[in-house]
Amino acid sequence: AQTVTQSQPEMSVQEAETVTLSCTYDTSESNYYLFWYKQPPSRQMILVIRQEAYKQQNATENRFSVNFQKAAKSFSLKISDSQLGDTAMYFCAFFRVVGGADGLTFGKGTHLIIQP
Amino acid sequence: NAGVTQTPKFRVLKTGQSMTLLCAQDMNHEYMYWYRQDPGMGLRLIHYSVGEGTTAKGEVPDGYNVSRLKKQNFLLGLESAAPSQTSVYFCASSHLSYEQYFGPGTRLTVT
């Protein structure tokens, strides 16, 4: 079984600053995907970014980028030029490709607060 | 294109009552999932389905049953609700089974 750990229960930064959210995972799988989901107060789960384990290049989506360190089993999310609308819970999630129909494994989340 | 919808959005049950949560998707996805989210926790998988007529247990299946009689619908049943089942329930679907699309959630309170 795999586990996902998010060690920062809450973070707070000023608007326009850059913030990095940490995620580590433990697995014996070699083929997997990693995700960051955002959950605003509306509670809707929104996919932020996806990383395939076989790709060495870090994924980027506009202001969001990841630092994927496969050997260290680390998958951090960097948000640049943070905005008030980025305030939300952020969840790191793992999906194993082989037999992976059994769903995502989530971390406990980081509550990110962007201060004006 | 509504995506993934869940019915109802809110529900209050008394201990021992039963209910069914309905998830519907209009994206022709093969895979469907039910998760629960408790305070301070990420989402945990209850049951999932890889196709019409098939279901399987996830991480926390006890006290729940599911059915997938039609490809577009995935039902989650509570036969005898308990206070420990107070939670927010999310349904998700996917075509390729890694990128999941989530419904808006159902907040269930069992008193």
Side-chain angles (χ1 to χ4, degrees), chain A residues 2-6 21-25 27 31-39 45-55 58-61 64-69 73-79 89-98 100-110, chain B residues 33 35 42-43 92-102:
Chain A
Q2 39 281 330
T3 59
V4 177
T5 302
Q6 295 179 248
L21 308 183
S22 301
C23 172
T24 59
Y25 58 96
T27 185
N31 193 9
Y32 52 88
Y33 290 81
L34 294 163
F35 303 88
W36 280 98
Y37 279 89
K38 170 185 177 180
Q39 187 179 43
M45 295 292 288
I46 301 165
L47 178 64
V48 175
I49 200 164
R50 179 184 90 192
Q51 175 78 43
E52 292 89 335
Y54 64 85
K55 289 187 177 179
N58 290 325
T60 62
E61 287 287 342
F64 299 87
S65 61
V66 298
N67 183 3
F68 174 47
Q69 301 290 327
K73 295 181 181 174
S74 170
F75 183 60
S76 61
L77 174 69
K78 186 171 83 171
I79 305 174
M89 286 292 295
Y90 287 82
F91 293 96
C92 179
F94 174 99
F95 180 85
R96 59 176 185 151
V97 175
V98 177
D102 54 359
L104 293 162
T105 300
F106 285 86
K108 292 185 177 182
T110 296
Chain B
Y33 305 85
Y35 296 89
L43 280 67
S93 72
S94 68
H95 175 53
L96 298 175
S97 57
Y98 51 86
E99 189 155 347
Q100 297 186 14
Y101 295 81
F102 285 83

Side-chain angles (χ1 to χ4, degrees), chain B residues 83-109:
Chain B
S84 60
Q85 293 177 304
T86 293
S87 189
V88 178
Y89 292 85
F90 287 94
C91 177
S93 72
S94 68
H95 175 53
L96 298 175
S97 57
Y98 51 86
E99 189 155 347
Q100 297 186 14
Y101 295 81
F102 285 83
T106 294
R107 181 176 293 279
L108 174 66
T109 302

Side-chain angles (χ1 to χ4, degrees), chain B residues 11-20 63 65 77-86 108-111:
Chain B
R11 185 72 187 268
V12 179
L13 287 180
K14 293 185 177 180
T15 298
Q17 288 184 322
S18 63
M19 77 163 294
T20 300
N65 56 75
L78 286 73
E79 291 186 349
S80 180
S84 60
Q85 293 177 304
T86 293
L108 174 66
T109 302
V110 183
T111 62

